[in-house]
Amino acid sequence: MLLHVTHETRYEYSPAVETAQHLAHLKPLATGSQRLVSHKLAIEPQPAQRSEVPDVYGNTRAFFALEATHDSLVVTAESVVETSTPQLAPGIARELPWEAVRERFRYRKDATFDPASEFVFPSPYVPRHDDFAAYARASFAPGRPTFDVAMDLTERMYRDFAYDADSTEISTPAAEALAQRKGVCQDFAHIMIACFRVMGLPARYVSGYLLTQPPPGQPRLVGADASHAWVSVYLPGEGDGDGDGHESAGGWAEFDPTNGRQPGEDYVALAIGRDYSDVSPMRGVLHGGARHTLKVGVTVRPIEELRTQAAEAAQSQSRTQSQIQSQPPDKDLQ
């Protein structure tokens, strides 16, 4: 699919902000199943400084500084992305039992380092807690392949948890969202990641978007009118795991517990990290602006729909102009 993404973030401050520095993750990733066609980041008021650099996970991180007093800030990211259904990398050991995967990531002196190891450890929004292990065990049946574990956990969470935008905030601990069995996509992603990590397996957080209006005959997905979040689980490559260089490269498989499915071409990946703290769309340090209101709007639609809408608007404008020109002059003005 060729998708057009608009993500607008609007802050209103009271009193005004005197100076500010911001970081933003608003540029979609380039991956094996996703090609970034174009991207534009508009900032109002105009920043005194701005730059873009890749972060440690390969995401594009935008920095900008505002040095003039302002009582509002509007940041609009506009992107065009070509997507396809993610595919597992060749050589993935899809049938490898989860216990064998856990052993590959158990610390051993002088063992070959696997970069995915970083996603086994706790992070700010994903702590270790016995409650995660207790919930996870039903999916982690002995000998079950890691992919099947992840799919089972995804479907269980979809059945067990209620999407409730008013039940949590971004600061709500994942263990609390687990206990109340409700939350939003960020909560569900953190819970699923915590379940994998507490069992010794790598899992990471993916931020992104969903197609706002589904194709005819398909249900509208939860979280389609805002930023979305899901989970990426590491699957090792084939081989004996002894570090002798004969293993195939591993890869990541994605799962969306909010919607009980794997992401497809109707998803746009924005950034990856250990948890939300690594990939928050906007954050900053302000001097002033003790109070603020925030409004965020996200729209994802096929580029053909946008082109059709533009063509219809142009035709409507042309018809209106023709009607005006064809009207007889007003007699009172003759």
Side-chain angles (χ1 to χ4, degrees):
M1 300 183 75
L2 195 59
L3 300 176
H4 181 270
V5 182
T6 303
H7 184 153
E8 182 182 271
T9 306
R10 181 180 296 270
Y11 287 95
E12 300 289 341
Y13 302 109
S14 178
V17 172
E18 297 178 23
T19 60
Q21 295 184 338
H22 293 272
L23 290 175
H25 289 97
L26 292 169
K27 187 175 185 178
L29 289 165
T31 70
S33 60
Q34 179 172 295
R35 182 174 69 91
L36 181 61
V37 178
S38 65
H39 175 75
K40 179 174 64 176
L41 186 66
I43 304 168
E44 183 61 38
Q46 290 292 321
Q49 304 175 47
R50 63 182 297 174
S51 62
E52 281 190 356
V53 295
D55 67 13
V56 67
Y57 301 114
N59 310 308
T60 298
R61 182 174 61 196
F63 165 82
F64 60 94
L66 302 168
E67 299 177 358
T69 300
H70 54 285
D71 55 16
S72 66
L73 171 65
V74 181
V75 179
T76 305
E78 190 173 356
S79 309
V80 175
V81 184
E82 185 179 41
T83 64
S84 60
T85 301
Q87 303 293 327
L88 287 179
I92 288 292
R94 180 166 173 163
E95 300 302 319
L96 192 67
W98 72 267
E99 298 96 333
V101 178
R102 178 186 60 189
E103 288 304 310
R104 291 192 180 194
F105 287 95
R106 195 182 297 276
Y107 173 77
R108 293 181 177 84
K109 183 180 179 182
D110 299 325
T112 302
F113 173 75
D114 190 319
S117 298
E118 180 175 1
F119 298 99
V120 176
F121 300 102
S123 56
Y125 284 90
V126 185
R128 287 194 181 276
H129 197 289
D130 289 343
D131 288 352
F132 297 124
Y135 183 76
R137 287 191 186 103
S139 294
F140 283 77
R144 175 177 272 178
T146 304
F147 182 93
D148 295 348
V149 168
M151 198 70 249
D152 184 79
L153 184 58
T154 297
E155 293 170 348
R156 280 181 56 218
M157 290 189 63
Y158 179 67
R159 294 191 301 267
D160 294 348
F161 289 76
Y163 188 94
D164 185 347
D166 298 322
S167 63
T168 60
E169 299 178 350
I170 190 57
S171 58
T172 300
E176 182 178 324
L178 172 65
Q180 66 184 17
R181 295 294 197 272
K182 57 185 177 180
V184 295
C185 55
Q186 289 90 346
D187 301 305
F188 303 155
H190 287 147
I191 291 168
M192 184 170 174
I193 292 168
C195 287
F196 265 78
R197 291 182 186 172
V198 77
M199 301 300 285
L201 304 182
R204 63 188 186 182
Y205 186 97
V206 186
S207 68
Y209 311 107
L210 297 172
L211 186 63
T212 304
Q213 294 294 339
Q218 296 187 19
R220 180 183 172 91
L221 296 177
V222 177
D225 55 355
S227 296
H228 195 52
W230 58 96
V231 177
S232 186
V233 173
Y234 184 74
L235 303 177
E238 296 174 347
D240 55 15
D242 62 7
D244 63 1
H246 295 146
E247 298 88 355
S248 301
W252 296 87
E254 298 184 351
F255 302 86
D256 180 6
T258 303
N259 289 290
R261 55 166 284 191
Q262 286 194 274
E265 62 180 3
D266 48 348
Y267 285 61
V268 175
L270 189 60
I272 57 174
R274 297 167 301 165
D275 58 33
Y276 176 83
S277 65
D278 288 331
V279 300
S280 57
M282 285 273 297
R283 64 184 178 203
V285 178
L286 314 179
H287 182 202
R291 296 175 301 279
H292 74 269
T293 59
L294 169 63
K295 293 183 179 179
V296 179
V298 173
T299 302
V300 181
R301 53 183 172 173
I303 195 72
E304 286 304 319
E305 180 182 310
L306 191 67
R307 291 169 177 166
T308 299
Q309 183 180 19
E312 290 174 349
Q315 291 175 359
S316 176
Q317 183 177 11
S318 177
R319 285 195 298 268
T320 301
Q321 291 176 343
S322 297
Q323 291 171 356
I324 293 175
Q325 293 172 358
S326 63
Q327 288 179 354
D330 192 323
K331 295 182 178 179
D332 292 338
L333 297 179
Q334 293 181 6

